Amino acid sequence: MTDAAKPAPVPSTPAPPPPAPADSVNLTIDGIAVIAKKGTNVLEAARTIGIDISAFCYHPGLPIVAQCRQCLVAIEKNPKLQPSCQQVVAEGMVVHTNDAQSSLARKQQLEFTLVNHPIDCPICDKAGECTLQRLYFDHDNANSRIDTPKVHKHKTVDLGPTIMLDQERCILCSRCIRTCDEVSGQHQLDFAHRGDHEVLTTAPGEQLDNPYSLNTVDVCPVGALTSKDFRFTMRAWELEATPSVCNGCATGCNIEIHHKQDRVWRLVPRHNPEVNKYWMCDEGRLTYHGLRDHRLAAALVDGLPAGWDRAIRAAAELLGPSLASAPRSIGVVLSAEHTNEDNFALAKLAKAWGVTNVYVAGKPEVPSRADGRLRVADVNANTAGVKLVAAALGLPATPIVELSADVRTLVVLGAELPGIDQAQLAELAIVAISAHERGPVAQAKVALPAAAWAEVAGTVTNAAGRVQRMHAAVTSPGQALPAWEAIVRLAQATGGKLSFAHTREVFHDMTQAVPAWKALSWTREARPLALRFAGSRG
Amino acid sequence: MSQKVLDALKAVHGGAIELLETQHGDAIAWIKRDQLVAVATWLKTSPEMAFDAPVFATCIDRLDWKPIDVPPGVPVYPNSAAWTDAGGKPRFEVVWQLRSSLHHHRLRLKAACPEHDPRVPSLASLWPAFNWQERETFDMYGIQFENHPDLRRIYLYEEFVGYPLRKDYPKEKRQPLVRRDDLPMNPIKAPGEGHH
Amino acid sequence: MAAPTTPPTAPSPGDANPRSLRQLVLGRKDVQDLSDAEQDLPPDLMTVNMGPSHPAMHGTVRIILTVDGERIVASDVQPGYLHRCFEKESEHATYTQVFPYTDRLNYVSPMINNCGWAMVAEKLLGLTGHLPKRAEYIRVIVSEISRITDHLTCVGASAMELGAFTAFLYFLKAREWLYELLEKVSGARLTHSYVRIGGVGKDLPDGFHDDLTLCLHQTEKIMVEVENMLNNNKIFRDRMAGIGAITKQAAIESGCVGPIARAAGVDYDVRKDYPYSIYPELEFDVPVGTTGDCYDRYLVRIEELKQSIRMLRQCLKQIPDGPVMIADPRVALPPKQDTYNTIESMIRHFKHIMDGVKVPAGEAYAFVEGGNGELGFYVVADGTGRPYKAYVRSPSFVHLSTASQLIHGHLIADVVPIFGMINMIGGECDK
């Protein structure tokens, strides 16, 4: 504090900012002080304060190549503009993203990119989530200056079983090439020729057929690469996104379910640095087709549709005598494909009934899938969870192949009974709680319709023991209910004391019972986000 | 013009104010809800304010408020330490716009209230036009106006369930809530509402 | 009616006495048989339902009247039968997609609603005052034409309800000419969606000057005839004068604006007090009444018609040439020729339509002088192309809230002129 009589000296430079923590640096972007961890690039540092320096070829999950030159910014003490995706932050760096030079560079780069771009927006799948559209509108918005014909390339190149390429739309950012290399480990895409005839094509002798090929469609900033499964089916801005978890295998990649009016149109990966980063496999993406496949929509008694009440009564009549006199003749099959909550409800019911023959069933393993990347051999979503739930309630979790000869009646969750042949099935009386009408459901005495994975709120446990929350995206067809609700109805008809009114109640009971899950808490149901409100996904 | 009003308000009722701001030339004053009636009475009766004409009353639901491209440093939804809604910001802002036919100045009053306690005092006794407009706000947002002479639904029928202008009320939801077999979608839940 | 105390006697065969037969069939006494006490009318109040499907309820409004004979002692006005969720729909639509919704608010003066919505978006974008002059003049021209159609409809319909069918038909004839003119301008008689953020959709058609001059000339002649019919008409004056009066103070506090407030003596017109667009360059007077009754409202509206015609003649003389849309790529669609032939314009067109005009985050309230008074739009924007909240300050809603107080103490038959002169447009009231 200066003496009041003397005027305070005017500082010539502003006081330096306080020192950043040891692993971070101070820098200034557009006059705003930013603290960024060492090793961050300037583009990411700018994003943390809401400044969008446009970029095409940069992707946080891929190696940086600084190829598109869209992210050039002016950095003081540097004579030339630098690509901000490649420039690592340094202490005291002063960055200008909106000065005359950077803005002009950005506009000019966009102008170059658009010179030969075909006027395809009305027919291009990427419209509505296209990075080129977004960056042009936000950063350039100038009129075209060319009056020469555009260079033409091939517009429908079949790259492989899953992807179509439009060479004219490609802006040569190389994200797809790097994605193939990084995610699948196979080099299947490359550039050919030079100058304005440069095109994307398959690497010599290769096809784009690796099991992670559809990730290239996600990363492509324009509509050059399109998924054969999704193209021309639905416009992006009409979709709503609900977060969930892929049920294709035990990895549990985090996904977004894109749906509209109660129908799922595609699945896309959601970023989770600890599970799947930015990627998912092609098989997982296509599991949404199974949601409409042979769905069990009505309760069946002896193969004929019946209402819930009649079906529950039939099941109670079937189980009643055995429950009273010979609980050893009843087998309960938990499902490695259903949520923790469904399995917990059934296990609790088994315990209340005094049934000790508790089995676990799921789809058989596919050893060829295990590739050390995302795909694993276990194609069931919740094997780990089922085992934990059964163990916590003190029940065995015997694989269903070891079905005991004493069992005469089976209560099956799910539609898989691997290793049980037709002869054995014919001898059993089955109560099936399943979403699909296949497998043992055909021979079931009573079949109760369950909701499928995209229609329920619940949790699944992946192979690493991670419990992940799913949110319901669409409503179940017909009279299907979440499996735990079917189980509660069955319990109430057979004297087992179960009374849950909401999935979160099952969850709370479950987390009290399973010691490893005691600290978990139920999150609020995610409302679907309309993609047209989310800004561009691109 | 608007700055004079805000200055006078600060001078007389400084303690009741959460925040004063001007946006696009409009004066906006955020008032603590328990002192709102006192401030409003002063605004109406004091000769230099003379806000005798009511303009509108409505509510803003900030549940989905995620503005983009806001220049850094510009508070678009002001943060105030006094609002402690379980650590977050209050969900609802009830807005009243006033006009003075004598001095021709205008003022927007705002009172914030949280989701679990959506009550604000009613200004219908001071300005009769707010009677119906507060009823409309109650109808659409579920805000309970204390001491309102006749707080019931105005646009919607009495048996309507829910408050439609809230952000978590799906646009496609149909009422009355009866199961109908002729509709392709379940009217009890909007599509995508899922099962809990 | 008193209950019968003596059971009817069965007629014997051959007894042709008609009164006994009537007693048997109707089971009650004939009027001549009633005692003096029984002949008094019951003193109970009666509840009568007026609307929502009632020819005199402009739009759909239900009034539950409690009447003492013919005199109204209490009423409950229930709007909402035309509620079409304007605000909820606007939250899901881009700013440009909201223009058709605004058409359907005050559907007898839709251009004014369009202008109000465009003004609030421009206020948030910072474009107020930067529009090309020609665009502003066109907006004022179509707004004033809409105001004329609004007043013609209001006065014509009210006169018809009082029995003056001729006045209604004359005014509707004049309104038809104006609707045809607006159809040439925008493509639709009523649901124009003509105004855009940053200007108007397209320029005025060829021959507009001459067409409008002729229309105004013909409308003036019609107005002279109707004024001769109504102004000093004894029946009209008896049914309108002294009915539904509101004091100046009550009008202000009840939020009344427009012709209703001006009839009560409140000198408030948005075009004069908070001028917008090119109104400062026009000369016009604002008629202000004295008693606030229905007759004054009628006179105010007639005078406003004359002032609108005066303004239109000035606009036709003063309108400059030039573009009709601001040359700002954030706001204006590119020309179709470019959209189909260059990728840049294609992308810009695409983003404008799909994402909307990106309006910076903030809130604003912009208001115009609608046919019924201060019509305002209060918009909270969040930086995207869709409004976060879009509230309409509709003058009809506020005026309808005073209806209960206005009809109190009057006869049921007075509800008709009072309602007519409030000019409650169902679309604007119920949103």
Side-chain angles (χ1 to χ4, degrees):
Chain A
M1 292 297 280
T2 54
D3 188 5
K6 284 197 284 209
V10 175
S12 51
T13 47
D23 62 349
S24 306
V25 297
N26 285 311
L27 69 152
T28 312
I29 303 180
D30 287 348
I32 303 161
V34 182
I35 298 179
K37 283 208 161 29
K38 287 188 182 149
T40 318
N41 57 56
V42 172
L43 182 67
E44 289 286 354
R47 280 186 183 164
T48 59
I49 52 168
I51 294 179
D52 169 47
I53 306 171
S54 54
F56 286 119
C57 69
Y58 172 74
H59 189 287
L62 296 172
I64 300 173
V65 290
Q67 180 153 337
C68 67
R69 316 311 282 182
Q70 187 63 43
C71 63
L72 298 176
V73 293
I75 301 181
E76 278 186 17
K77 303 198 194 100
N78 238 303
K80 288 174 67 157
L81 297 176
Q82 297 298 325
S84 52
C85 62
Q86 209 172 44
Q87 179 71 47
V88 176
V89 295
E91 180 68 37
M93 181 182 275
V94 181
V95 179
H96 298 284
T97 70
N98 265 332
D99 66 330
Q101 212 190 353
S102 318
S103 303
L104 187 62
R106 204 172 298 137
K107 282 184 186 319
Q108 288 175 332
Q109 185 57 47
L110 276 164
E111 191 176 6
F112 273 130
T113 309
L114 288 168
V115 156
N116 284 320
H117 200 80
I119 310 176
D120 274 359
C121 296
I123 55 167
C124 176
D125 272 291
K126 205 77 176 180
E129 47 181 16
C130 174
T131 310
L132 185 57
Q133 279 184 341
R134 176 171 65 87
L135 294 183
Y136 167 78
F137 194 71
D138 289 345
H139 294 275
D140 182 10
N141 236 341
N143 286 331
S144 169
R145 292 195 284 176
I146 61 161
D147 57 359
T148 48
K150 297 194 181 222
V151 170
H152 290 295
K153 303 172 185 167
H154 291 292
K155 285 194 76 73
T156 46
V157 178
D158 196 333
L159 284 186
T162 53
I163 308 251
M164 283 296 263
L165 165 68
D166 184 319
Q167 286 179 339
E168 283 184 355
R169 297 176 193 166
C170 176
I171 58 170
L172 306 169
C173 70
S174 76
R175 270 185 173 192
C176 52
I177 302 176
R178 286 175 280 146
T179 304
C180 261
D181 292 348
E182 270 292 302
V183 183
S184 70
Q186 303 177 45
H187 182 75
Q188 293 183 328
L189 291 174
D190 214 337
F191 288 135
H193 309 305
R194 300 185 305 183
D196 60 3
H197 296 281
E198 188 167 356
V199 289
L200 178 74
T201 184
T202 45
E206 297 273 347
Q207 255 206 322
L208 185 57
D209 56 4
N210 67 70
Y212 299 94
S213 59
L214 284 170
N215 289 304
T216 56
V217 176
D218 284 344
V219 300
C220 182
V222 293
L225 294 172
T226 45
S227 154
K228 284 187 186 172
D229 173 66
F230 181 69
R231 73 201 304 254
F232 302 143
T233 55
M234 177 54 66
R235 278 308 207 175
W237 60 81
E238 308 220 13
L239 294 169
E240 298 184 318
T242 303
S244 186
V245 172
C246 175
N247 274 24
C249 75
T251 306
C253 294
N254 288 193
I255 58 171
E256 272 178 17
I257 303 177
H258 285 180
H259 54 101
K260 179 191 170 186
Q261 281 183 346
D262 241 13
R263 177 177 167 163
V264 177
W265 290 93
R266 66 177 175 185
L267 306 177
V268 296
R270 198 165 36 105
H271 175 56
N272 187 327
E274 277 140 63
V275 180
N276 60 314
K277 302 201 181 51
Y278 299 91
W279 323 113
M280 69 189 290
C281 73
D282 293 355
E283 283 164 2
R285 271 182 213 264
L286 300 180
T287 54
Y288 76 90
H289 289 294
L291 290 170
R292 296 168 74 88
D293 240 359
H294 298 109
R295 288 298 300 273
L296 184 60
L300 302 178
V301 175
D302 288 323
L304 296 172
W308 267 98
D309 292 332
R310 202 153 76 76
I312 294 287
R313 262 181 288 135
E317 278 165 18
L318 179 66
L319 293 165
S322 314
L323 278 175
S325 57
R328 279 194 62 78
S329 72
I330 299 186
V332 162
V333 185
L334 302 174
S335 170
E337 296 180 285
H338 272 254
T339 60
N340 291 326
E341 286 78 13
D342 294 342
N343 284 301
F344 178 74
L346 187 54
K348 209 164 173 219
L349 180 57
K351 196 150 180 198
W353 280 341
V355 166
T356 50
N357 287 326
V358 175
Y359 303 93
V360 171
K363 293 207 259 296
E365 282 201 353
V366 181
S368 59
R369 279 186 103 242
D371 60 6
R373 294 175 187 276
L374 286 176
R375 295 153 76 225
V376 291
D378 180 6
V379 290
N380 300 296
N382 201 16
T383 317
V386 167
K387 295 203 172 114
L388 272 174
V389 161
L393 290 176
L395 296 168
T398 329
I400 185 63
V401 281
E402 299 164 28
L403 183 62
S404 154
D406 296 338
V407 170
R408 306 273 90 216
T409 320
L410 263 191
V411 176
V412 183
L413 180 60
E416 296 283 336
L417 284 178
I420 308 294
D421 58 22
Q422 283 297 90
Q424 273 179 296
L425 271 186
E427 309 242 318
L428 297 166
I430 302 179
V431 174
I433 305 167
S434 167
H436 297 277
E437 201 170 343
R438 54 164 199 260
V441 177
Q443 274 107 324
K445 179 106 175 70
V446 177
L448 303 175
W453 63 272
E455 299 151 9
V456 291
T459 57
V460 285
T461 312
N462 74 358
R466 187 186 195 86
V467 179
Q468 307 195 98
R469 168 92 148 91
M470 305 197 297
H471 295 265
V474 291
T475 54
S476 358
Q479 299 181 325
L481 291 173
W484 64 262
E485 248 190 84
I487 293 164
V488 165
R489 290 187 182 201
L490 190 59
Q492 282 163 353
T494 53
K497 288 189 191 10
L498 272 186
S499 63
F500 298 119
H502 193 281
T503 321
R504 85 174 88 86
E505 292 179 24
V506 189
F507 178 84
H508 284 146
D509 230 15
M510 183 177 73
T511 48
Q512 299 305 312
V514 181
W517 295 344
K518 220 173 171 55
L520 298 176
S521 59
W522 183 256
T523 51
R524 202 174 185 171
E525 188 66 20
R527 274 185 296 134
L529 173 67
L531 285 190
R532 65 183 182 277
F533 286 148
S536 182
R537 269 184 77 236
Chain B
M1 194 207 326
S2 52
Q3 195 51 46
K4 255 184 16 185
V5 170
L6 295 178
D7 291 339
L9 189 58
K10 189 161 189 156
V12 178
H13 281 279
I17 296 176
E18 298 275 14
L19 185 82
L20 296 175
E21 61 172 338
T22 312
Q23 282 206 36
H24 300 284
D26 299 341
I28 305 174
W30 300 70
I31 309 285
K32 299 190 174 90
R33 58 176 167 165
D34 46 358
Q35 305 190 28
L36 185 64
V37 178
V39 173
T41 315
W42 173 74
L43 285 170
K44 182 178 178 192
T45 51
S46 92
E48 76 265 20
M49 294 285 104
F51 282 105
D52 52 352
V55 181
F56 67 79
T58 183
C59 172
I60 306 173
D61 179 357
R62 296 280 186 185
L63 186 67
D64 286 347
W65 179 247
K66 286 185 203 71
I68 63 174
D69 290 341
V70 183
V74 170
V76 166
Y77 179 40
N79 221 334
S80 169
W83 299 335
T84 50
D85 181 31
K89 300 188 180 82
R91 179 173 170 187
F92 297 111
E93 283 157 44
V94 187
V95 186
W96 293 267
Q97 173 90 10
L98 302 168
R99 170 176 73 88
S100 168
S101 57
L102 193 59
H103 302 300
H104 295 289
H105 48 218
R106 292 178 171 249
L107 178 65
R108 201 172 301 155
L109 286 177
K110 289 198 183 188
C113 60
E115 184 178 349
H116 57 82
D117 182 27
R119 285 175 310 115
V120 289
S122 164
L123 300 184
S125 52
L126 290 165
W127 293 283
F130 288 150
N131 185 322
W132 271 31
Q133 302 201 325
E134 287 175 358
R135 276 179 66 188
E136 182 199 345
T137 311
F138 163 68
D139 193 3
M140 294 289 147
Y141 288 95
I143 308 291
Q144 302 283 337
F145 287 92
E146 296 165 330
N147 303 319
H148 190 280
D150 180 21
L151 194 64
R152 58 193 163 106
R153 287 193 184 269
I154 188 164
Y155 280 151
L156 302 170
Y157 53 94
E158 292 84 14
E159 298 87 357
F160 193 91
V161 175
Y163 301 107
L165 273 181
R166 290 192 178 188
K167 290 291 183 181
D168 50 0
Y169 187 95
K171 183 169 81 99
E172 302 81 12
K173 186 164 180 150
R174 301 176 78 124
Q175 296 217 17
L177 298 175
V178 291
R179 190 170 284 283
R180 284 175 55 180
D181 293 325
D182 56 330
L183 287 181
M185 50 192 183
N186 183 349
I188 307 286
K189 308 190 280 272
E193 247 186 318
H195 211 96
H196 302 302
Chain C
M1 267 307 213
T5 48
T6 51
T9 50
S12 43
D15 184 357
N17 189 341
R19 278 201 359 227
S20 313
L21 196 57
R22 173 189 287 224
Q23 277 180 315
L24 185 68
V25 170
L26 295 179
R28 62 177 186 214
K29 295 183 178 179
D30 219 340
V31 173
Q32 295 94 295
D33 301 328
L34 291 172
S35 67
D36 282 334
E38 284 170 332
Q39 281 196 41
D40 289 334
L41 293 170
D44 312 328
L45 298 175
M46 196 158 60
T47 309
V48 177
N49 184 57
M50 202 164 173
S53 298
H54 192 289
M57 296 290 114
H58 303 234
T60 42
V61 165
R62 182 185 187 209
I63 313 185
I64 300 180
L65 297 167
T66 310
V67 288
D68 176 15
E70 278 269 329
R71 200 160 287 280
I72 297 167
V73 293
S75 56
D76 180 25
V77 181
Q78 297 183 351
Y81 288 90
L82 198 53
H83 181 68
R84 295 151 302 167
C85 322
F86 170 85
E87 296 179 29
K88 190 81 177 176
E89 290 285 353
S90 301
E91 289 171 12
H92 291 249
T94 65
Y95 285 90
T96 313
Q97 284 176 325
V98 174
F99 280 111
Y101 291 135
T102 56
D103 278 336
R104 287 145 175 88
L105 288 173
N106 186 338
Y107 37 69
V108 284
S109 57
M111 289 290 194
I112 308 181
N113 310 334
N114 283 177
C115 287
W117 180 256
M119 277 176 55
V120 74
E122 285 154 11
K123 189 168 175 181
L124 286 163
L125 281 161
L127 297 177
T128 318
H130 294 286
L131 268 53
K133 254 309 198 261
R134 187 174 173 82
E136 298 272 24
Y137 266 95
I138 293 179
R139 280 190 184 178
V140 169
I141 288 176
V142 293
S143 293
E144 291 305 319
I145 296 178
S146 280
R147 192 185 318 282
I148 294 178
T149 58
D150 194 338
H151 289 333
L152 289 176
T153 315
C154 172
V155 174
S158 297
M160 172 179 69
E161 281 151 18
L162 298 179
F165 210 79
T166 311
F168 175 68
L169 289 177
Y170 281 15
F171 268 173
L172 250 61
K173 187 167 68 170
R175 193 184 77 164
E176 267 313 294
W177 298 322
L178 293 167
Y179 275 165
E180 278 173 17
L181 190 64
L182 286 177
E183 193 180 14
K184 284 197 194 141
V185 170
S186 69
R189 285 157 48 89
L190 209 59
T191 51
H192 308 113
S193 307
Y194 177 60
V195 180
R196 298 283 178 272
I197 300 173
V200 290
K202 47 185 186 266
D203 207 338
L204 295 171
D206 295 331
F208 180 79
H209 272 61
D210 299 328
D211 285 342
L212 182 60
T213 312
L214 184 63
C215 274
L216 294 177
H217 180 65
Q218 288 170 321
T219 307
E220 274 184 318
K221 286 199 338 217
I222 297 241
M223 281 179 60
V224 168
E225 286 190 58
V226 172
E227 277 190 278
N228 285 342
M229 271 192 277
L230 294 179
N231 273 12
N232 291 312
N233 183 312
K234 179 158 177 32
I235 300 176
F236 192 75
R237 285 190 82 139
D238 275 351
R239 291 218 52 194
M240 298 274 266
I243 302 296
I246 189 170
T247 62
K248 182 170 167 183
Q249 191 56 29
I252 297 178
E253 285 191 355
S254 302
C256 291
V257 287
I260 294 173
R262 289 196 276 279
V266 180
D267 182 8
Y268 176 51
D269 186 324
V270 179
R271 297 170 294 177
K272 284 279 192 201
D273 295 326
Y274 302 90
Y276 56 97
S277 193
I278 46 102
Y279 283 106
E281 298 171 26
L282 299 176
E283 272 180 35
F284 62 101
D285 298 315
V286 172
V288 174
T290 47
T291 54
D293 60 9
C294 290
Y295 191 65
D296 264 10
R297 293 177 196 140
Y298 158 77
L299 288 176
V300 164
R301 288 207 168 89
I302 292 288
E303 188 55 38
E304 278 187 20
L305 277 173
K306 297 181 183 153
Q307 293 301 320
S308 285
I309 294 177
R310 181 178 165 196
M311 277 191 266
L312 282 169
R313 292 207 166 106
Q314 292 172 47
C315 284
L316 283 176
K317 274 211 285 278
Q318 295 172 1
I319 182 170
D321 287 324
V324 293
M325 176 65 93
I326 195 171
D328 184 342
R330 290 179 303 154
V331 158
L333 281 179
K336 269 296 191 284
Q337 180 80 355
D338 292 351
T339 304
Y340 286 136
N341 288 302
T342 62
I343 182 65
E344 285 82 351
S345 299
M346 166 66 79
I347 292 179
R348 187 176 333 136
H349 179 107
F350 192 94
K351 288 304 250 183
H352 268 299
I353 302 294
M354 299 320 307
D355 282 356
V357 172
K358 295 225 167 66
V359 173
E363 60 179 62
Y365 176 63
F367 46 98
V368 293
E369 179 71 18
N372 284 332
E374 177 184 331
L375 169 69
F377 289 90
Y378 174 56
V379 167
V380 178
D382 61 356
T384 63
R386 293 177 170 84
Y388 185 76
K389 177 182 168 73
Y391 175 78
V392 182
R393 190 267 177 198
S394 63
S396 298
F397 184 60
V398 177
H399 296 157
L400 192 65
S401 67
T402 64
S404 203
Q405 166 195 352
L406 290 179
I407 61 181
H408 183 87
H410 289 296
L411 303 174
I412 293 183
D414 293 327
V415 175
V416 171
I418 293 173
F419 230 73
M421 278 296 126
I422 289 180
N423 197 25
M424 186 232 54
I425 306 290
E428 193 179 60
C429 174
D430 292 345
K431 308 201 271 277

